[in-house]
Amino acid sequence: DAGVIQSPRHEVTEMGQEVTLRCKPISGHNSLFWYRQTMMRGLELLIYFNNNVPIDDSGMPEDRFSAKMPNASFSTLKIQPSEPRDSAVYFCASSPGQGATYGYTFGSGTRLTVV
Amino acid sequence: KQEVTQIPAALSVPEGENLVLNCSFTDSAIYNLQWFRQDPGKGLTSLLLIQSSQREQTSGRLNASLDKSSGRSTLYIAASQPGDSATYLCALPRNRDDKIIFGKGTRLHILP
């Protein structure tokens, strides 16, 4: 298996532009998680899906952030409009089951820079 | 509310030494605990997953222990090598049907 695949690896955009991050989970995993990592705050969970349904989006910072999972093999995280404080590394992770029982596999992340 | 703490934030040791990394948590009613490694600019690699019913897990030179009653887990690295230099994070779920939360990690530097 190729693992969790994220694209792009790096994204540089201007403030106010729309940014879309993409994730392909491991085949057969039915839980998917979006995390954001910064030096100040460490790893923070933004949202997670189970069987393509958003279960908890309480970590999404504000309405500028949205996430979708149209099918079991694809998810997007969109920021519109982007701001410099959104600069961070965004990770996607997947798990075979709901919640924490089976452990998590992470993608390599997308490093986002908003100038 | 579950909180995860890792101390120290950074650690430097000479190559060849055995070392222990610490992780503490405030709510002992956990379901499992996972240790990850993160290399600079890279993603997270899972090292060990300990279920709540287990006391320890081993993989090669790594051994992770879990003591729920005291709210602690340790990651033991034997015969450290420069390639072990990375940030090590522990993570655990808030509850069984929930996502995991992370400690801030320990940045380990093995001196050649």
Side-chain angles (χ1 to χ4, degrees):
Chain A
D1 197 317
V4 177
I5 300 173
Q6 292 187 245
S7 64
R9 290 297 305 275
H10 302 275
E11 177 80 36
V12 180
T13 190
E14 291 185 348
M15 181 173 65
Q17 296 298 306
E18 176 180 296
V19 176
T20 299
L21 311 181
R22 297 173 176 79
C23 176
K24 175 178 168 55
I26 291 174
S27 178
H29 283 196
N30 57 10
S31 291
L32 182 140
F33 309 81
W34 283 100
Y35 283 84
R36 176 172 68 176
Q37 186 177 40
T38 60
M39 288 292 293
M40 290 295 295
R41 302 174 68 92
L43 274 157
E44 303 173 280
L45 179 72
L46 300 177
I47 185 171
Y48 86 96
F49 296 84
N50 182 255
N51 292 325
N52 313 337
V53 176
I55 302 300
D56 184 347
D57 64 355
S58 59
M60 297 286 263
E62 49 198 274
D63 291 345
R64 297 185 298 106
F65 285 68
S66 63
K68 294 182 179 179
M69 192 164 186
N71 57 62
S73 59
F74 184 65
S75 177
T76 60
L77 177 68
K78 185 177 294 186
I79 308 172
Q80 165 64 18
S82 57
E83 297 181 3
R85 60 193 169 115
D86 301 330
S87 297
V89 182
Y90 291 80
F91 288 103
C92 176
S94 69
S95 175
Q98 182 174 0
T101 307
Y102 304 100
Y104 296 67
T105 302
F106 279 75
S108 297
T110 295
R111 182 174 297 277
L112 173 65
T113 304
V114 183
V115 298
Chain B
K1 175 186 173 185
Q2 181 71 274
E3 294 183 0
V4 183
T5 304
Q6 292 185 250
I7 295 173
L11 180 66
S12 293
V13 299
E15 180 180 2
E17 285 197 3
N18 303 326
L19 61 99
V20 174
L21 306 180
N22 297 298
C23 172
S24 61
F25 44 94
T26 52
D27 186 347
S28 61
I30 67 170
Y31 291 90
N32 60 40
L33 186 145
Q34 194 166 1
W35 281 93
F36 291 88
R37 167 184 172 140
Q38 185 175 27
D39 293 283
K42 305 290 186 183
L44 283 77
T45 301
S46 179
L47 297 173
L48 291 163
L49 171 67
I50 311 177
Q51 300 293 347
S52 61
S53 58
Q54 298 175 316
R55 294 300 298 266
E56 64 180 281
Q57 280 282 343
T58 297
S59 176
R61 294 182 294 108
L62 305 180
N63 175 276
S65 68
L66 176 63
D67 184 343
K68 289 192 300 180
S69 61
S70 66
R72 289 189 62 197
S73 176
T74 60
L75 180 66
Y76 175 83
I77 303 177
S80 59
Q81 303 171 358
D84 295 330
S85 298
T87 297
Y88 291 80
L89 300 106
C90 68
L92 58 158
R94 295 187 313 187
N95 55 56
R96 181 168 54 190
D97 293 324
D98 209 350
K99 59 278 188 183
I100 58 173
I101 56 174
F102 285 84
K104 291 230 162 84
T106 294
R107 191 170 61 254
L108 176 65
H109 181 50
I110 305 300
L111 305 167

